[in-house]
Amino acid sequence: MEPEQRTESNGRRGIGGLVEWASAGIRAIAQPSLTQLVLRFALALPFWRSGVKKWDGFLQLNDVAVFLFSSEFKLHLPGGPYAFPAPATVAFLSGSAEIVFPILLVLGLGTRFAALGLLLMTAVIQLTVPSGWPIHLTWAAMALALMAFGPGRVSLDHLVSRRMG
């Protein structure tokens, strides 16, 4: 091999080695269990914050939540917009789900089911606030990732599955 070819080959190995070294460093930081833990918290947070605002106390839905589902929120479907059916019930169910599902996600308990619940809520929210699609798409992606890959090792789901078998 001529000296020019060796230098060019070493340069490629050097760049390839540097890229591989950097990739290994990134993989070391972005461990799957850490990624899944961060996804669980990131998806739980906006729903928790919204849910907390709907309550005045234990099982005491505030008037603003009922008002929003009665007067402000509409489903933007073809031929609509349409009012929510049974707005007080929908407000109660929504507020409850926005508290329960985030708690389950943070604990990593029933993670796939909680993520599915928040994905369905995201779909309804998208029909209610169509202009919010950039953030709704982000929520949907996080929920789908959790549904596909599960909660990770730092979760009660993982602990339960290890104990059971």
Side-chain angles (χ1 to χ4, degrees):
M1 190 183 277
E2 293 184 29
E4 276 182 23
Q5 290 175 328
R6 269 189 250 129
T7 305
E8 189 176 306
S9 174
N10 288 342
R12 276 193 222 127
R13 262 187 287 160
I15 291 173
L18 182 62
V19 168
E20 182 55 37
W21 176 80
S23 293
I26 291 168
R27 283 192 306 271
I29 294 167
Q31 292 289 317
S33 287
L34 175 62
T35 303
Q36 289 157 302
L37 177 66
V38 171
L39 278 172
R40 291 187 351 241
F41 275 80
L43 182 57
L45 185 63
F47 286 92
W48 172 264
R49 291 177 74 186
S50 175
V52 167
K53 293 176 184 175
K54 288 181 173 66
W55 299 97
D56 282 336
F58 184 72
L59 298 180
Q60 292 293 320
L61 201 61
N62 65 35
D63 294 336
V64 173
V66 176
F67 171 77
L68 288 172
F69 281 93
S70 299
S71 303
E72 297 294 316
F73 293 161
K74 304 286 184 210
L75 292 169
H76 295 271
L77 297 167
Y82 300 102
F84 273 90
T89 302
V90 172
F92 183 85
L93 292 173
S94 172
S96 298
E98 287 176 328
I99 297 295
V100 172
F101 291 150
I103 290 171
L104 292 173
L105 280 184
V106 167
L107 296 174
L109 183 62
T111 301
R112 285 185 163 103
F113 297 106
L116 174 61
L118 293 179
L119 179 64
L120 295 174
M121 287 186 69
T122 299
V124 173
I125 293 166
Q126 176 59 34
L127 292 173
T128 306
V129 186
S131 63
W133 69 266
I135 192 70
H136 303 156
L137 184 60
T138 304
W139 295 343
M142 289 188 288
L144 287 167
L146 290 169
M147 291 164 58
F149 301 112
R153 290 183 181 169
V154 184
S155 67
L156 290 178
D157 283 341
H158 181 73
L159 183 65
V160 167
S161 70
R162 286 190 60 182
R163 298 257 186 222
M164 296 194 69

